[in-house]
Amino acid sequence: MSKEILVYSEDKDVTLELLSKALEIRKDIDALVSSIVLSKDYAVNLDELHQHGAERIYILDIRTHITNEIVSDLLVKLVKERNPMLFLIGATKDGREIASVISAKLGIRYIPDCIGIELEDSNIKIERSVYAGNLINVYITHGPLIASIPPKVFEAKHAEVPAKKEIITVKYEVSEPKVNVIEYKQKEVTGLNIENAEVIISVGRGLAKKEDISMIKELAELIGAQVACSRPLATDLKWFPEDQYVGLSGKKVSPKLYIALGISGQVQHLVGIKGAKFVVAVNKDENAPIFKSSDLGLIGDMYEIIPKLIEVIKSKR
Amino acid sequence: MVEVIVCVKQVLSVAQIKVDREAGKLITAGVPKVISESDKSAVEQAVRLKEKYGGKVKIVSVGSDEAREALRESLAIGADEAYLLTNISNERVDGLVTARLLASMIRKIGKYDLILCGDASEDLYAGQVGPSVGAILGIPVITYARYLEVKGDTVRAERDLGKSIQVVEAKMPSLVTVVREICEPRLPTLSAILTASRKPFIKWDLNDVGAKEDDIKESLLPFKSYVPKTERRQEIIKGQTDELVKALLNVLTKEGLVK
């Protein structure tokens, strides 16, 4: 097992976050921090990787289409050859798939969705949120370990420039791919990134009909908020595009203000708003679980409160 | 004909879990165990394939005896046979070990065209076991499918990648993990439930699948757990609309969002 921390994500921003974290924790055992880049990824700036902590950069030669299968194949070979103590992968959907495949092929333990990592006396200590955020599991292992880390858990920071700077191009034979990409289809997406929103108004099943979204949008416009929803409104009712829902399988948001209207507060939704600084909930049901996860809970009907609020705000202008 | 095997997991109903803050543990007493949501959709999807193309749907699961309810439910939805590796409670195994055990079960069952799994179970939300099983069996893996269809010897699936939808194909046998929304599981009729109780329900132990207790012990299990602090103020206001509007307006004013 080599004292190396390998970092990979197909998302460049996540790569920088992981590199920054790797650089921060490596001090205890003086591990080497390495970044992995696919040769076809022209968007990646090697200097930027270096500035965020990568002392070694592996460029994986890839001539074919980039698919999870091919990336997994290449990474399996690299990990087998380099035998790093710790392999950090960005926990995007694809990253989680790739991490699971590498873990199984090489028999390396894998902890998904880590929110904390430390190296302590050459042990790796991992924290992971489970049961929809109700519990944190702590694991200790000497490695080797694969850990996937969700976007924005750690912060990308410029490093004091590392002493070493090494670039290694790696060529592996890959097997004939068995999963083929046929095409990409357009999705109805707003392009608005609620993950970066400062103020969010979110609606749940308390919204009676799709047309009522206009009332929410009106309020949002008045206060400069973005509109979001709970999962059922996007995936089941299809009243919202799928990139607008907040929750365990959706977006995690960290606005300074999150206003939840007619959202009951299922645990899977609550996971998505843990990062919110201030949560206001409006719900007719005083027993709705959302109130335990709010800073301010208003027990009332959003159909009475919101129109009135809009009126008042407009009158003040 | 399409022979399908579905991997299912029985989990604590996450919505009903309470926490014991002092002990740093979940309070699981009295919390019902249910089949994981996306696994249930996988079972429904498998049954629909059977109804269209013929073949059998077999359910495999690793768990304790309590998991039999999840399996009975799967049989009631329309699966034909259920296989349970008993005496392996969720707390004893990690994802890698679970995947190996499931793969051993599948190898013992023998022939299949398609393996379906839920994308991730709501308890740990790892999304690990599905792809790991595929990797161990050496078959193509497709994850997070929101739609799938079988065309001849090929499976085609649509994956939601956030900004776009990726359409992929692979020759069977392959493994596909599906999101909850891929289809709505049917509510079994009383007659289906009764029929389910007569369908083959096979229980295996480690020996039956060529595994040993040592294989289980390899698992990386939590060293400890704790309950994260909820720092929400939990202030509640119950009153007339005007009062509530005023309170909300206060918040907006404080945040500088209105004048």
Side-chain angles (χ1 to χ4, degrees):
Chain A
M1 198 169 67
S2 64
K3 290 203 292 189
E4 188 172 4
I5 304 175
L6 265 186
V7 167
Y8 174 74
S9 180
E10 82 279 2
D11 182 323
K12 193 202 78 177
D13 292 329
V14 179
T15 301
L16 298 179
E17 290 163 16
L18 268 43
L19 281 174
S20 300
K21 185 64 179 176
L23 189 65
E24 183 193 309
I25 62 174
R26 69 84 173 260
K27 296 186 187 99
D28 193 64
I29 60 162
D30 196 26
L32 176 72
V33 175
S34 311
S35 190
I36 301 169
V37 170
L38 304 179
S39 65
K40 268 184 149 192
D41 197 346
Y42 305 114
V44 174
N45 178 337
L46 299 184
D47 282 332
E48 202 175 8
L49 297 178
H50 182 62
Q51 280 155 18
H52 284 78
E55 298 161 299
R56 177 185 286 170
I57 297 172
Y58 295 99
I59 302 184
L60 290 181
D61 188 63
I62 178 167
R63 302 291 162 100
T64 61
H65 272 105
I66 297 175
T67 65
N68 289 348
E69 183 187 8
I70 290 179
V71 172
S72 298
D73 200 343
L74 291 171
L75 291 177
V76 161
K77 294 180 159 82
L78 181 67
V79 170
K80 188 165 185 192
E81 191 183 294
R82 296 291 162 166
N83 201 6
M85 180 183 183
L86 184 57
F87 184 17
L88 305 179
I89 303 192
T92 55
K93 279 182 177 159
D94 286 342
R96 281 152 55 93
E97 177 191 318
I98 290 167
S100 305
V101 166
I102 299 171
S103 161
K105 292 255 187 225
L106 296 176
I108 299 176
R109 305 238 90 78
Y110 163 46
I111 303 286
D113 288 5
C114 302
I115 57 168
I117 311 181
E118 280 164 41
L119 289 179
E120 233 175 60
D121 300 325
S122 72
N123 273 326
I124 308 168
K125 186 170 162 206
I126 298 272
E127 291 204 349
R128 172 194 184 190
S129 171
V130 293
Y131 288 98
N134 277 303
L135 198 67
I136 309 285
N137 279 347
V138 183
Y139 304 81
I140 297 189
T141 173
H142 46 65
L145 182 73
I146 302 171
S148 70
I149 298 158
K152 298 205 167 88
V153 165
F154 301 125
E155 210 187 309
K157 299 188 260 236
H158 270 243
E160 335 132 14
V161 181
K164 291 177 268 199
K165 187 180 181 178
E166 210 186 334
I167 296 178
I168 303 181
T169 303
V170 179
K171 284 188 169 79
Y172 294 121
E173 284 292 319
V174 281
S175 330
E176 198 57 44
K178 303 209 202 90
V179 179
N180 295 301
V181 177
I182 304 300
E183 61 170 341
Y184 286 87
K185 282 187 184 176
Q186 280 296 19
K187 255 187 79 175
E188 199 217 326
V189 287
T190 55
L192 292 171
N193 191 352
I194 56 169
E195 286 166 312
N196 292 335
E198 283 275 291
V199 184
I200 296 176
I201 304 179
S202 195
V203 283
R205 286 208 183 266
L207 195 74
K209 49 190 200 300
K210 186 176 182 183
E211 291 68 40
D212 297 340
I213 295 177
S214 57
M215 169 179 81
I216 312 299
K217 283 197 168 143
E218 193 182 354
L219 177 61
E221 228 158 292
L222 286 171
I223 66 171
Q226 282 200 42
V227 180
C229 65
S230 60
R231 183 176 185 173
L233 268 66
T235 58
D236 292 330
L237 294 169
K238 305 219 193 293
W239 291 351
F240 280 88
E242 282 182 37
D243 65 345
Q244 295 294 91
Y245 85 82
V246 174
L248 179 61
S249 58
K251 303 283 184 188
K252 318 285 185 300
V253 296
S254 41
K256 64 176 184 177
L257 176 63
Y258 187 84
I259 304 174
L261 304 174
I263 293 179
S264 62
Q266 297 263 314
V267 283
Q268 293 95 327
H269 183 77
L270 299 177
V271 170
I273 65 173
K274 283 202 187 291
K277 250 183 98 201
F278 197 91
V279 176
V280 179
V282 176
N283 199 300
K284 279 193 291 194
D285 175 9
E286 61 189 292
N287 294 313
I290 188 101
F291 290 127
K292 291 237 161 69
S293 297
S294 310
D295 296 289
L296 177 63
L298 306 175
I299 301 174
D301 187 347
M302 65 186 247
Y303 281 95
E304 288 181 16
I305 297 171
I306 301 305
K308 209 68 195 285
L309 180 64
I310 290 174
E311 220 183 281
V312 172
I313 295 175
K314 278 180 167 165
S315 72
K316 281 172 171 265
R317 288 181 149 202
Chain B
M1 292 237 285
V2 183
E3 304 290 335
V4 187
I5 297 181
V6 186
C7 302
V8 310
K9 182 183 185 186
Q10 176 147 304
V11 299
L12 288 167
S13 173
V14 170
Q16 296 179 54
I17 280 181
K18 308 259 184 308
V19 289
D20 181 343
R21 203 160 281 281
E22 273 105 55
K25 288 194 319 206
L26 299 175
I27 298 170
T28 59
V31 176
K33 294 214 171 131
V34 294
I35 180 173
S36 167
E37 273 187 350
S38 54
D39 289 349
K40 199 162 160 181
S41 293
V43 173
E44 172 67 33
Q45 178 68 77
V47 172
R48 290 186 192 187
L49 287 173
K50 174 176 88 151
E51 286 166 346
K52 194 166 177 187
Y53 301 105
K56 277 201 169 150
V57 176
K58 296 172 185 164
I59 310 292
V60 294
S61 189
V62 170
S64 61
D65 237 34
E66 294 176 309
R68 67 173 178 275
E69 271 154 50
L71 301 191
R72 286 279 165 226
E73 197 178 347
S74 306
L75 293 171
I77 291 174
D80 300 288
E81 295 167 18
Y83 298 80
L84 175 65
L85 192 65
T86 57
N87 294 322
I88 313 281
S89 64
N90 291 345
E91 297 79 47
R92 289 217 290 145
V93 287
D94 68 8
L96 183 52
V97 166
T98 304
R100 285 175 177 155
L101 292 173
L102 286 169
S104 306
M105 294 176 78
I106 291 167
R107 281 199 194 104
K108 191 175 164 81
I109 286 172
K111 192 184 174 303
Y112 58 88
D113 297 303
L114 194 59
I115 302 174
L116 295 184
C117 312
D119 62 339
S121 58
E122 53 266 35
D123 53 354
L124 306 182
Y125 204 64
Q128 169 182 10
V129 169
S132 290
V133 169
I136 292 166
L137 294 173
I139 59 178
V141 167
I142 295 171
T143 58
Y144 300 102
R146 48 190 259 147
Y147 169 79
L148 78 80
E149 61 177 358
V150 166
K151 292 152 42 122
D153 62 355
T154 298
V155 60
R156 172 182 280 224
E158 294 187 5
R159 306 176 66 228
D160 185 342
L161 290 188
K163 296 199 183 78
S164 61
I165 296 181
Q166 187 191 58
V167 183
V168 294
E169 264 184 18
K171 278 219 174 15
M172 299 190 285
S174 34
L175 182 143
V176 181
T177 79
V178 305
V179 297
R180 176 173 77 73
E181 291 87 4
I182 193 170
C183 59
E184 190 64 37
R186 70 195 67 185
L187 272 168
T189 60
L190 186 53
S191 136
I193 295 171
L194 289 172
T195 314
S197 63
R198 283 178 259 128
K199 290 180 180 175
F201 190 121
I202 295 106
K203 288 188 191 172
W204 283 337
D205 60 26
L206 288 176
N207 265 328
D208 291 319
V209 296
K212 300 186 296 286
E213 192 56 42
D214 280 347
D215 301 328
I216 312 277
K217 293 212 174 97
E218 248 193 60
S219 297
L220 177 56
L221 301 173
F223 167 73
K224 67 172 185 184
S225 302
Y226 65 91
V227 177
K229 283 190 295 193
T230 32
E231 288 127 6
R232 298 294 174 201
R233 303 236 293 274
Q234 299 181 47
E235 185 191 341
I236 302 281
I237 302 183
K238 187 177 182 179
Q240 299 292 345
T241 301
D242 282 337
E243 213 187 310
L244 304 177
V245 170
K246 196 157 165 233
L248 191 39
L249 192 62
N250 260 341
V251 173
L252 296 176
T253 311
K254 254 197 238 156
E255 296 284 353
L257 300 171
V258 295
K259 305 227 180 347

